[in-house]
Amino acid sequence: MRPENVEAATAAVASVPRLIRGVGFTRRAIVLLVVCAILLLSFASSLRVYLRQERDLALAQQQIAERTVANAELADEIDRWRNPEFIKAQARERLGWVVPGEVGYRVVDANGKPLGGGVSITSTSTVPEGEHATAWWDRLNGSVATADEPLVADEKTDPVITVEGSESPSPTPTPKPTPTKKR
């Protein structure tokens, strides 16, 4: 080639933008970029698995800590219930029990219902009318529901207990047996 042609070719190449001429990557550079991309993807998925496991581990440790506290509270409660004095105190508080020799008092309202103290058990469920439970657990549930809300006898015929523990006569007279003649 003539030097004039070389100068003209170099000037023509220099005037063309670099992107149009080509990137200039070699095969080795392309293979290196592909290998780096594959490694990056494999590390990214491994990193995702690692982060998920770390989160699961932190959650499990939190649950273990919560359950350890709950177990400690339950163990304390078991220890309290093993103490006979605690059981007596709970029976007095919840059930209104008294020790032999003590006099127990209960405050009642105008209707004769006890006020405060003791445990009152109320039932929110009732056995529906006309339906009969067939399974034993249904019968048991109905029995418990009935025991929770028993039929109250007429209050006028119930004896009244005084402080001394003796019964006063009931307000309504009781029927007396009539003598029968023998033949």
Side-chain angles (χ1 to χ4, degrees):
M1 264 182 125
R2 294 186 195 168
E4 302 162 357
N5 289 341
V6 174
E7 289 177 15
T10 353
V13 170
S15 65
V16 176
R18 176 146 176 95
L19 292 175
I20 297 176
R21 281 189 285 161
V23 180
F25 285 122
T26 63
R27 288 183 192 154
R28 285 187 210 164
I30 293 173
V31 169
L32 181 64
L33 285 176
V34 169
V35 168
C36 287
I38 291 172
L39 287 174
L40 183 66
L41 289 175
S42 67
F43 287 142
S45 76
S46 296
L47 181 65
R48 184 177 49 92
V49 169
Y50 173 76
L51 292 176
R52 185 178 345 121
Q53 288 175 348
E54 285 293 318
R55 185 195 64 208
D56 292 345
L57 181 63
L59 181 64
Q61 288 174 342
Q62 179 185 2
Q63 288 176 346
I64 289 171
E66 290 171 356
R67 290 178 182 164
T68 302
V69 169
N71 284 343
E73 290 172 358
L74 291 173
D76 289 343
E77 186 174 347
I78 288 172
D79 289 341
R80 282 192 307 250
W81 280 103
R82 286 185 179 153
N83 184 354
E85 294 302 318
F86 179 76
I87 294 173
K88 288 178 186 175
Q90 291 299 313
R92 286 172 169 263
E93 180 183 327
R94 294 181 181 191
L95 303 174
W97 287 11
V98 293
V99 177
E102 289 182 351
V103 177
Y105 295 96
R106 183 167 290 186
V107 179
V108 295
D109 63 4
N111 296 329
K113 305 286 182 189
L115 294 175
V119 174
S120 61
I121 301 173
T122 58
S123 173
T124 57
S125 63
T126 58
V127 177
E129 293 284 330
E131 290 187 21
H132 299 286
T134 55
W136 67 268
W137 54 84
D138 289 333
R139 289 193 306 270
L140 177 66
N141 187 26
S143 174
V144 169
T146 303
D148 284 344
E149 299 173 356
L151 294 175
V152 178
D154 187 15
E155 292 182 15
K156 295 179 182 176
T157 60
D158 289 338
V160 177
I161 308 290
T162 61
V163 175
E164 294 82 31
S166 62
E167 293 183 5
S168 67
S170 60
T172 58
T174 56
K176 296 181 181 178
T178 57
T180 58
K181 295 183 182 180
K182 295 184 180 178
R183 293 187 193 179

